[in-house]
Amino acid sequence: TDTYRLYDDDEEEEDDDSSPAQQEQEVVSADDDVQSLKWRGPRTYVFAGATIPDRGKGSVAGMLRQRYPDAKWARGPRLHNILSERVNQRWINVADNDAAETALKDVLTSDGAFEAGRRTMVFAKTVKAAERVADCVRAAAVEANAHDAEIFVYTKNTHVSERFEMIQAFGERGGIFVCTDSASRGIDVKGGVQHVVQADFAQDAVSYLHRVGRTARAGASGSATSIVRPAEKVLADTLRAAVESGVAIEDSFSRNRQFAKKRKKYGDDHHMNLVRERVNESKPTASSST
């Protein structure tokens, strides 16, 4: 059996910003003797992916179907969806960066993020932004008299060995885990994450799925708070509508460049209309309900 891991387009765009598990996998693969792995008998191909965009021939699923038309597909009912019944989501619209920092401080304080053993992940869009967010978190800790609060900063600039130690410490002792999308997939936090905060809203739907998916894992419940600036509002509103309607988030707006392109061509309401169409499609018809 040949097993391949499917990478989204989004993953390929991040240079050296993979998770520890992915980096370890890459190192092992580099040391393998490829010739010794060859199998001369019949082969079975197994493709596995956490997110498999399936909208059109150019999507991952579309290309697989073209190449392997007889392939058998198995997917859970919650693919590209958020378990809304287990994730308590909150959306906060702000006017600018100053208001976003104020909102972040308020969210952390009201949620008890600085309490011992509490595990909170705070996402930023870039390495530079992560440092800015970390400074904001430190200021919030001081204002809350939580001088002993542990604050981790996890980005692609963090050495691989430090990443493992950081994740382990975060799981064992709790704290505030400030990170980029390098921590949005491929890691498992011991004890689970109670709260995910998007200090910078995700740049695309897939990143949003992975970020929020850090909480409410393995049957647990959790919270997710998204701080939304004006430039992020159209994407955020569309994703919110999809989540609250129980509609799967497909790759028609999974990549930021595609979302922006279609928004420019068809207007701000284009993707929201797609969500409404899918909601209507999911409703039982008179004939199917009898």
Side-chain angles (χ1 to χ4, degrees):
T1 300
D2 294 336
T3 303
Y4 297 87
R5 182 179 183 279
L6 300 183
Y7 286 88
D8 297 330
D9 292 338
D10 303 340
E11 292 181 76
E12 295 173 356
E13 292 172 359
E14 293 186 280
D15 295 332
D16 195 30
D17 205 14
S18 54
S19 68
Q22 291 169 355
Q23 290 183 347
E24 182 180 39
Q25 182 185 38
E26 290 165 3
V27 171
V28 172
S29 298
D31 292 338
D32 284 338
D33 181 358
V34 178
Q35 294 298 322
S36 65
L37 298 178
K38 286 187 175 180
W39 175 253
R40 298 185 181 279
R43 293 187 177 188
T44 299
Y45 294 92
V46 179
F47 298 91
T51 57
I52 307 177
D54 189 11
R55 297 285 294 184
K57 295 181 179 180
S59 66
V60 174
M63 290 187 288
L64 287 176
R65 286 195 179 93
Q66 284 184 321
R67 185 165 183 178
Y68 305 101
D70 298 327
K72 304 297 182 182
W73 289 78
R75 61 177 65 187
R78 292 294 186 174
L79 182 70
H80 298 169
N81 210 332
I82 294 294
L83 294 172
S84 56
E85 66 271 19
R86 296 212 317 258
V87 182
N88 179 29
Q89 296 209 53
R90 182 184 180 193
W91 310 74
I92 303 175
N93 294 314
V94 297
D96 50 36
N97 289 333
D98 290 339
E101 291 191 1
T102 299
L104 176 59
K105 290 180 181 180
D106 291 344
V107 167
L108 295 177
T109 302
S110 62
D111 184 62
F114 300 113
E115 295 176 2
R118 183 77 172 168
R119 288 178 291 276
T120 302
M121 294 185 75
V122 181
F123 281 95
K125 59 184 177 182
T126 63
V127 174
K128 185 177 180 180
E131 295 295 342
R132 169 182 52 79
V133 170
D135 287 340
C136 181
V137 173
R138 294 185 187 102
V142 172
E143 294 173 10
N145 293 318
H147 301 284
D148 296 330
E150 288 201 69
I151 300 171
F152 307 91
V153 182
Y154 181 110
T155 70
K156 67 180 181 181
N157 290 345
T158 307
H159 192 273
V160 175
S161 61
E162 292 181 279
R163 294 188 184 194
F164 282 106
E165 295 173 1
M166 200 177 293
I167 294 169
Q168 185 175 11
F170 176 56
E172 293 176 352
R173 302 194 297 269
I176 312 294
F177 199 88
V178 179
C179 55
T180 58
D181 284 325
S182 57
S184 67
R185 67 192 89 190
I187 69 171
D188 184 53
V189 178
K190 182 180 179 180
V193 176
Q194 284 85 22
H195 194 183
V196 169
V197 180
Q198 295 195 87
D200 295 323
F201 194 76
Q203 297 186 64
D204 53 70
V206 171
S207 296
Y208 164 82
L209 282 169
H210 285 299
R211 289 179 175 190
V212 177
R214 294 304 93 198
T215 191
R217 299 176 69 83
S221 59
S223 299
T225 300
S226 298
I227 298 173
V228 183
R229 295 166 179 78
E232 305 158 337
K233 193 173 185 303
V234 175
L235 175 60
D237 286 350
T238 305
L239 290 172
R240 181 177 182 176
V243 170
E244 294 179 350
S245 302
V247 175
I249 297 173
E250 295 290 351
D251 72 334
S252 59
F253 53 91
S254 66
R255 292 179 295 176
N256 191 47
R257 60 182 180 274
Q258 189 178 45
F259 182 92
K261 182 179 179 180
K262 289 188 176 181
R263 177 186 174 188
K264 182 178 180 180
K265 183 176 181 179
Y266 300 111
D268 288 351
D269 293 335
H270 172 68
H271 291 88
M272 190 66 77
N273 289 334
L274 288 180
V275 172
R276 294 190 184 101
E277 289 176 8
R278 291 172 197 164
V279 171
N280 292 331
E281 290 171 359
S282 65
K283 292 180 180 179
T285 62
S287 59
S288 63
S289 60
T290 57

